[in-house]
Each structure stands twice: as structure tokens, then as C-alpha cells.
Amino acid sequence: MASSSKIEADDDDEVPEEGLEHFDDFTLASSWERFISEIEAVCRLWMADGPKNLLEKGAVLLENSNNFYKVKFEMKYATKSYCMEYYFETNPHGKAADWNLAFHDLQLCFGIKEFLVIAPQSASGVVLDAPEASKLLSAVAIALSNCSSLWPAFVPVHDPSRKAYIGIQNMGTVFTRRFEADRIGSQVPVKLMHLEGLYELFVSKFAYSTLDLSSNLFKIQFAMKLTYRTLPYDDDEDIKGTDAEITKAGESHFGETSSRTQWDDDCSWSEWYSAEDPVKGFELTAIWSEKMVENSMEMAELENASPHEAEKWLICPSFSPNLLEGSQGNQIGFASQLHLLVDALQMSFEAQFVEDFVSVDNPSSDNLKSSMVIPSPTVIDRVLKELFHEAVQVTTFADFEHKTSRAIKGAPLDSLFAQFCLHCLWFGNCNIRAIATLWIEFVREVRWCWEESQPLPRMPANGSIDLSTCLVNQKLQMLAICIERKRQQTEDYQDCIGSEDQVDFVSEEESVVGDYLLNMQTPIDDFAGKVDSFSTADDLRDSESTMSKVSGKPEDLGLSTDRKPSECARRGSAGIAGSLMLLKSYQSMHAPYTQETPLMTEDMHEERLQAVEAFGDSFNFSAQLERDILTSDMSAFKAANPDAVFEDFIRWHSPGDWEDDALGESGPLSGHDSEKSKDNWPPRGRLSKRMSEQGNLWRKIWNSAPPVPASEQKPLLDPNREGEKIIHYLETLRPYQLLEQMVCTAFRASTNTLNQTSYGELKQMEAKMQQLYLTMASTLKPLQANRLSADSEHFEDLGRLCVVFEHVEKLLTVAASLHRKFLEAPRLPREIFSDFYNFYAPRMGTSTTEDTIVKEYHKKHELRIHERAVISNMFVPPTANQSWRKVLSMGNLLNGHEPILREIIFSLRDWVNGNHYASHTSSVSQPEMETYRMYTCGTSNDLRVALSVVSCD
């Protein structure tokens, strides 16, 4: 039995399979059904989550959109992998006919809000096989129907460049909408280049072919958007070149006809470099809102309509690609050169003297000579000529400086050293060898000015030393003063020699008057009363209050015929010192002309303070340092008041050291009460404790000081000695000390130069400039304290400062360009720059997340009616040399310019109840529905068409 059974079994195996009776087990799902089930599960999950939860789960914001997101899910069917994406809005509003700028491509094409896209995960990302595309779309449609979802679904097909789609949408139990989009990349029929032909194409989708479309009336909704673009700057370069050649052939009288003016010729930085215009042009969008069109004749009229008839104008600037990139080789400005100067500072520690960087005997500079080139002598001569021979003499720097820039210890913008630093930025590409060469020649020119007593250009020859500037600027300022005083001494000496042979005999009285007139040549405003180093501010005010103006009448100075003999010897008086009277004689006290306090630079002040600390007794040593000043003041006081005593000098020079017993002498004496004042004379009081001490230094100086007016005294400042010391300082300055001051000055001068740019009322730009000054002040502070070394970590901070400077410089060029282009429409640059600033801010490191960085700027701004003329003037009518390039095959020209892009939406709406679109049951009655819709986009050389049709299934 067993064997027979086995044989029977073998026989059964040999029976063909077709002959066996079997049944299909439909409880087991096929791979196709499992694929549909997987799509359905994913869709149900997305529907259950909703937009809010999907955002929390990592939905991705689409580029150039504010509220349009997508989520995706990857799946497999058979041997292929697919990716399904769900696109949705967080706050859907508007419709496609409103031309929302944030719309997705498929939203514009088909007028939908949210949708699915399923595509293979391949290099092309499209389905090339038509049956596969239909099968894939059917699977999604079945899954969405099972979910009772109304989402449209799309599958990309054909070649990727065609941007072709097929799609389907379940609109309930009755209607289905089908979508199809494709593109004609070449050989566009002439008929479809015009609005009339596109209108007839749309009507042909639902009208009978036998109808005369031009004579039938169809109420079709029409909306249009036209995009125009200003000509790029390079487009008219050959035209200008052609015009220049014609002019040259015609022997024009103008020799520079072919030269072109740059957009930034009158900007503050144009003296140093020409910046690329960051705003390359503008895109103008003219929008015709939805309107009803009944025949093709109306379309022909619309094609001839002017863009000024459009309901809305939008403008979007086109920015240079270099604006959003770094400065490595594609943009030259202050920032790039400052970075090179910082590199030169780091290399300046390699040598002891500036000459070592240009000396051929210096072995350490071998590695520099190969890569660092020194400009030719012609270039050096040109720079020196601009600095010394073409300079404009300035007396103040207040007009060129930003108030915050004084926190940076550099030099004023228009000063000699600041201009030297700015020239160094562009001299030999700012390498250390070129800087050293130019500095050596610079010091030689300064020495020549000193030796020849020629005014130092760009430096004021009067005033005090500005200790808030760098030391080199202080030295140059003091040298300018020394040169001026040296010239005055030479002129006075020559005048004295020339007048010796012409001296006539004059009486003693005439000599006194002549001496007075000579002293009157010194301006009263230059007078400065000297006080003790330890006198209070109140004492100084009291002292100054006692000074009086000099009257122009001789009798006011006691030069009348009945004057006393002591008054005849008075010399160098600047006038009566208020109501003060001399203690030993009943005479008014006269305030003398005194010499100015010797000027000192910062390093001289530091040496003085170090000496004070070394001696310990600050008062006695301070008095020693002030000995020459006190001697000069006392001699001048004695000459102006021959009967004065030491106490009189203290009452005038340092009122705080005189203790008055009464409250007299509170006001000036008049002739009416002169007799009454005799009761209060002599003044009652005493010297302070420190002035009455035994061996007081001030009294010793008083006893030894001769009565000599200030005009006859030896100058307190020896210009020859101080000038030689300054020249020695400049010639022996260490390289790193020079470069440290150059870096601070170059940053300050560059920023002040940019700050002079006119950019209108842009609050963000003003705030950014103010922030830049503060950042520079804190970053450059270690350079002012000489705390740097070759391997200092602070060079990283200087590098970051250069990057910050670059960002601000780019923003400033944008602000200046927008301001110049919209002088007659000031609202536009404010709004455009504000949006661009927010767009550019993440690149400056001011954004909290890197994901917010957008690659391209697409923000558009709506124009007001009165602003349209400003934009229209930017579209200059094309010349005859330009018109041959383009064939004007489309209408709606703007000053002769055809649109670069035309987008049109045709739509037909119908009541679906009781017609061929709906069933005859009243339960499916629906309102008016967009049954046909066609979107066209393109130009005469490229046309894309998207069609959606609603049908009853």
C-alpha cells in the first residue's frame, strides 16, 4: 500500500498544473494591494496629525516661502523605491489668481492648496514609462479614496526639463478632477505667442470643433501677470563702445568720450576703489486681476494695453551674486585691504627696524621677497605727491569725524597719518615690504618739511595736542606747531636785523607807548592765566574772573601825563585785573601777557608721571617741573606791576592760596566810590600755610625772577630741540609699533570714510554703523596698550573684526545704491533695505539658527501710483543697436521692452446641478465650480501649459 501510494503520488506530480483544480485565496494581499495599503496608512497618519503636529514632527519649510511646508515618506513597490511628499500651508489664504508670490509651482498651475506628489527615487526623479505612471497614480487615487481624502495627487512624467505632471483629485462621490501639465521648449506656434491664440486654445478644450470661436460668446475668467526686467549693465557695453568708435572716427573735441562713469563716482569710497553695484537691476511685475472676457477680440485689445493699466505693480531688486559670498578674490574694498594690513602687523615682529624689511642684507626677509612686491618709484612719487604737495591744509577735523570714532586711538580722517594709512592699504597690495618702503620715503618728506621750515600738510599748526589720537599723529601735530614757531622766530629775527639801522631817538614816554602797542599785537584770546598744579577749579575760575579786557585808550592803562614814575616802567600789561589792588601801593593790579603752557605728547606726559612717582614728593618735584613756567609768569607779572610783591602774585595766580580776612574787593572800583574804597585799603589777608612755609620754592623763584615781559622772554617750548626729537622718533620707530598704530588708524579712517556715504534715512544702517564703531573700539584696545606679540591670540579677534567690517561695507553699498536709484521715491529704499537687511542678517552671525538662511532674495514690494513713473524711467527705450537682438512677438510693451515672462490663467465656471457634469439627483447639488482651468507660462521661445478638467465619474 505504501508503495502504491507513493506511485500514485508521483503520478500526481507529473500531472500538468493546468489540469489541477484550485481556487484563489483572496484573503492574502498582493504586493500591489500592500503598496496601496501602505500609502493609505501614511495618508491617514498625516491627516490625523494635521499641520500643527506635522510641524512639531519636523516638517520642512520650502525655500522662498513663509508658511508652505512639506513632509515625505519613502516606500518600496516591487524593485523600485518611491518617495511620497505632502505639501501643506499653515494658514491657507488667497487663490492662485491673486498671484501669491509664495505659491508653489503646482499651486499656480492648477489652483490648488495642498497636494501629494509621488515620484521614483532616481536620478531624474520622474516616471519615464507611461503605464508605470498611470499605475502609480491609480494606487495613490485608490488610497486617498479609501481615506475619504480630497487631496490632489501628482506624478512627474516625461523628461525633467519639461516639468510635466499628470494628476487626479477625488472631489466627492460624483466628480473627479484630472490634471495635466507639459512644456514646449522650442518651435512654439506663432498663434500661441499671442493672447488671442491662447484664448482660442482654452476654448477648444470644451467647445465643439465646428463652432466659430471668434463669433461665440463664452464667459471666461482671465488673469495675467507680466514680468519685465531692466537691462543689465553689461548689455549696453558694446553699444557704448560702438558709439565711442563713431565719435572717434568723427574726431570729436572730447578726448574722454569712451570713458564711462561708474555708479559710485560721487560716493565717499570712490577715491580709493570702485565698488561693484550690488543692485544689478530690477524685475517689475504688472498684474491684471481676474476679469471677465467674452470673446477673442477683447484678448487682442488686452495685448495692446499698456502695463500702466495693470491693477498692481510689484518690484524686486536683482542683487549681485558676489554680495552673498565671501571676499576671497571677488570683491575688493576696505575690508579686504584691512585684512591684509592685519597680516602685515603679524609679520612686523620679524624685524627690529623698518629698514630691515627692504634691506637686501636681511636674511629673514628672503621668504618675503618672493611674494611681496614693492611698487615702482613712479608709484611712490605719485603717492607722496598726493600726501604732501596736493594736500589741502586743514585747521580742524571735527567735520570729518564720527563722534564715536574718538574712542578708537587712531588719527583723524583728513590728517596726514590717516591719509598715509589709507594709501598703504592700496600700495603694493598692502604687504609689509611695501609699507616699510613707503614709510621710509614718508619720513624723508617730513624731515624735508622740517629742515626747510615748510608747513606740514594736513596738520593744523596751532591749538593743543589731541591726546586721544595715536602717538604718531600727536608727534606730527607737535612737529607742525614747531615748524610754525620756528618760522616765526626766523621772521622776527630778520625783522629785528632789518630795523636796527632805522631806530630813531624817542622819548621815554613814547617808548612806553610803543612797547604797549607792540604787546597789543598779541591777541587777547591767546592769553591764559597760569595756576598752580594743586589749585582747585574754583580757584581757577576766580583767577580768570579777575582778568579784564584791555582798553584801546592809553589813559585806561595809566599812560596819562600825571602818571607815577612806577607806571612808566610797566610793560606787557594785558589790562587791569578786575578790582584787585596792589598791597604796597594804591594802584590797580595789571594782568600780564604770559607764555602758553609748553605742549606735550602722550609719551612726554608718561615720562613726567614716572619721574613724579620716582621722586615721591609730588608737590616739590611738580614745582621743579613747573619752575620754568612759574619763572616766566612771575617775570611777566613783575614787568606789568613794578610795585608788586610776592603776595600780589599769589592773589592773582593762585587765589586759593590767599586767605582774605574781609569780603572786600568783590567788585570793580568806579570813580564815584574811589574815595570810599580808601578805607578798605590795604587789603587784609594772609598767605596759605603751604605758601608761607620757610624756604617755599615759589618765593625763591619770585626773588630770582627778573621783571621781563613775555614778549622778551626765552620761549618755554624750544621748537628746534622738540622738532629734532620728533624726527628721531619717526626714524627709529619699531615696525610693530608703527603697524599697531596703522591698524587702529586705518580701521578708524576707513569707517569714517564709509560713514560719509549718503544713504537716506535707513535706521538699520545707522544702527549698524554705530555698532561697528563700538566693536572696533573694544577689539582694537589691546593694540593701544602694546600688548601684542607675533603669536598673540588677539589676531583671531582682528580677523573676525575684518569679517564684520566686510558685512557692514556690503550693507552700506546696498543702502547707497538703493538711495541713489530712488531719490524721487524715498519710501521704496527704506522698505527694500529693511527686507534685505533681515534677509542678510543670518550671514552676519546675528541669527539664532542657521536653517533660516535663504539663498536667494525674492521679496517683492508693491508700488504706489505716484511711484510708477520712477520705475518706468528705469526702462530706457532700446536703441537701434539693441532692437535687432529681440523679435517683439508679444504685446504689452513697456517703453519698448517686451516682458521676459508672461503668466495667464483662464478659467470657466459652471453650475453643476442639472447639467452633464452632475447626476440628476438633487442630493448632489453643488455651487458654481471651476470646471476648466488653464495656466500658461512662458515667452515666445518657451511655453508651458497646465490644464485641469472636472468630470463626472
Side-chain angles (χ1 to χ4, degrees), residues 84 98 113 244 286 714 749 854:
M84 186 170 65
D98 295 334
K113 290 297 183 182
K714 178 183 177 181
V854 183

Side-chain angles (χ1 to χ4, degrees), residues 579-752:
S579 61
L580 292 177
M581 305 291 292
L582 298 177
L583 294 175
K584 299 301 182 182
S585 63
Y586 186 70
Q587 295 181 18
S588 297
M589 182 185 297
H590 284 246
Y593 285 112
T594 59
Q595 295 194 57
E596 295 182 1
T597 305
L599 300 176
M600 289 189 292
T601 57
E602 185 178 15
D603 58 337
M604 298 169 65
H605 281 285
E606 292 178 355
E607 292 176 1
R608 179 175 177 180
L609 291 176
Q610 292 174 1
V612 169
E613 294 176 358
F615 275 78
D617 190 345
S618 60
F619 170 74
N620 288 336
F621 187 75
S622 176
Q624 288 288 346
L625 293 176
E626 299 285 351
R627 185 183 186 94
D628 293 340
I629 301 176
L630 283 174
T631 301
S632 174
D633 291 350
M634 290 179 178
S635 296
F637 187 82
K638 282 185 175 183
N641 301 278
D643 298 331
V645 294
F646 177 67
E647 287 79 3
D648 291 324
F649 176 78
I650 295 299
R651 292 166 61 213
W652 168 74
H653 190 281
S654 182
D657 287 308
W658 176 260
E659 300 175 358
D660 198 350
D661 293 341
L663 298 177
E665 305 179 15
S666 58
L669 296 177
S670 63
H672 177 72
D673 55 0
S674 59
E675 293 296 328
K676 183 178 179 181
S677 64
K678 293 181 180 180
D679 298 335
N680 298 327
W681 185 86
R684 292 180 293 275
R686 67 186 64 83
L687 293 173
S688 64
K689 182 178 180 181
R690 69 164 185 160
M691 288 297 176
S692 58
E693 291 178 349
Q694 187 69 23
N696 180 266
L697 181 60
W698 283 43
R699 186 177 291 274
K700 292 180 179 180
I701 297 176
W702 170 266
N703 294 334
S704 60
V708 180
S711 59
E712 301 177 10
Q713 297 176 11
K714 178 183 177 181
L716 293 175
L717 175 66
D718 187 351
N720 294 289
R721 180 184 61 187
E722 295 299 331
E724 289 295 337
K725 290 170 63 177
I726 293 172
I727 295 297
H728 177 73
Y729 167 81
L730 297 177
E731 292 177 338
T732 59
L733 188 62
R734 295 295 179 88
Y736 74 91
Q737 294 175 337
L738 171 64
L739 267 296
E740 284 177 347
Q741 298 182 62
M742 285 184 62
V743 168
C744 294
T745 300
F747 269 101
R748 173 174 169 173
S750 300
T751 310
N752 282 330

Side-chain angles (χ1 to χ4, degrees), residues 263 266-269 278-279 402 750-773 808-823 825-834 837:
W263 76 275
D266 57 350
C267 290
S268 58
W269 62 76
V279 184
H402 189 276
S750 300
T751 310
N752 282 330
T753 299
L754 293 178
N755 193 57
Q756 295 179 17
T757 304
S758 176
Y759 50 79
E761 299 178 358
L762 303 180
K763 301 299 183 182
Q764 296 95 334
M765 195 67 247
E766 294 178 4
K768 207 63 188 176
M769 290 299 297
Q770 180 69 22
Q771 183 181 357
L772 177 61
Y773 278 111
V808 177
E809 191 173 16
K810 287 182 177 180
L811 283 176
L812 190 67
T813 58
V814 173
S817 181
L818 292 174
H819 174 66
R820 290 166 55 86
K821 291 175 173 61
F822 296 105
L823 290 176
R827 181 190 68 89
L828 288 176
R830 289 197 299 268
E831 293 191 1
I832 294 176
F833 183 80
S834 178
Y837 181 85

Side-chain angles (χ1 to χ4, degrees), residues 32 36 131-144 155 168:
W32 169 249
I36 296 176
E132 179 187 356
S134 300
K135 188 175 183 180
L136 191 60
L137 187 62
S138 299
V140 179
I142 295 172
L144 291 175
V155 175
I168 192 170

